[in-house]
Amino acid sequence: MVQTRPRFYSFDDYLAYDDGTEVFYELFNGELIEVPPESGNNVQIANRLLLIFAMLVGIDRVRGHGLEMEVRGEPKNRYPDLTVIRPEHIQLLAKRNTIRLTMPPPLLVVEVVSPGELQWERDYIAKRAQYEDLGIPEYWIINPQDQTVLVLAQQERGFATVGTFTGNQRLESPQFAALDLTAAQLFVAGAQE
């Protein structure tokens, strides 16, 4: 039996689709592209940050990899590794964990870079452009390979670099001045925060 793959002509059509699985998809040119699972190392880094931000802003305002964001361009959606949402998002996301273009942007989006040139280009170039377009105030790119944290903040003409942090340098966050975290704390296996 031949199975036809669904084709979607709008983001609303995609949102109405349910294949009965828990698989994450990116909508690219009307077709579903399965999002591969994250590496254990990337999940651990995102989990460390989730716990730190939960203590800073409250657990309900921090979302892990399952949060979906509608974006302009291709693909039509992204799944950041970590997102700090606004208080009003809590109610807006109660039925579906998707931030639509019609909603205010989240305060912070974090991506943890997977190995490989394609993944590097996706996080540093493609996602950066899409998140910048949405007006997200702050975007972090965490690179476990070179153990750096690039912090970008929205300015009048798009994202500007706040800093690239390594080792025992304290991360500077325009949105979260109370954050007390060094780059090294994100990369230490088995670290206790």
Side-chain angles (χ1 to χ4, degrees):
M1 180 163 109
V2 175
Q3 288 196 350
T4 58
R5 297 180 65 167
R7 184 147 185 88
F8 302 94
Y9 297 98
S10 73
F11 197 72
D12 288 325
D13 290 343
Y14 156 75
L15 289 177
Y17 176 73
D18 182 1
D19 66 358
T21 71
E22 296 293 320
V23 175
F24 294 134
Y25 296 103
E26 287 181 341
L27 180 61
F28 192 85
N29 288 329
E31 294 184 12
L32 299 179
I33 307 297
E34 187 173 335
V35 176
E38 288 289 326
S39 73
N41 187 46
N42 286 13
V43 169
Q44 282 305 111
I45 291 168
N47 284 348
R48 286 183 193 117
L49 263 184
L50 187 139
L51 291 172
I52 291 164
F53 275 108
M55 290 188 291
L56 196 62
V57 300
I59 189 66
D60 291 340
R61 294 204 29 225
V62 186
R63 302 288 167 106
H65 182 65
L67 178 119
E68 178 181 38
M69 290 182 51
E70 181 182 13
V71 294
R72 291 178 191 87
E74 296 294 339
K76 299 285 183 206
N77 58 328
R78 296 290 188 177
Y79 296 91
D81 292 312
L82 182 103
T83 307
V84 177
I85 61 175
R86 297 171 188 270
E88 60 264 39
H89 284 131
I90 296 168
Q91 185 61 36
L92 292 170
L93 301 176
K95 290 185 179 170
R96 182 171 176 128
N97 201 27
T98 302
I99 296 179
R100 301 291 310 267
L101 292 173
T102 55
M103 297 177 185
L107 296 176
L108 170 68
V109 169
V110 177
E111 295 287 358
V112 182
V113 182
S114 296
E117 189 172 328
L118 178 63
Q119 287 75 10
W120 187 94
E121 287 179 10
R122 184 172 35 230
D123 291 334
Y124 281 90
I125 298 170
K127 289 180 184 178
R128 177 180 174 159
Q130 287 179 314
Y131 296 157
E132 185 177 69
D133 173 66
L134 294 177
I136 295 170
E138 199 167 327
Y139 176 37
W140 292 12
I141 304 172
I142 299 176
N143 190 328
Q145 289 71 46
D146 59 14
Q147 298 199 345
T148 60
V149 180
L150 172 62
V151 175
L152 302 165
Q154 194 73 243
Q155 302 294 323
E156 286 181 23
R157 298 177 189 251
F159 283 135
T161 301
V162 173
T164 300
F165 303 94
T166 62
N168 290 322
Q169 291 178 305
R170 185 175 177 268
L171 301 181
E172 295 176 28
S173 168
Q175 299 272 350
F176 306 98
L179 184 69
D180 186 19
L181 178 67
T182 66
Q185 288 173 300
L186 293 176
F187 302 112
V188 177
Q192 300 289 318
E193 263 63 78

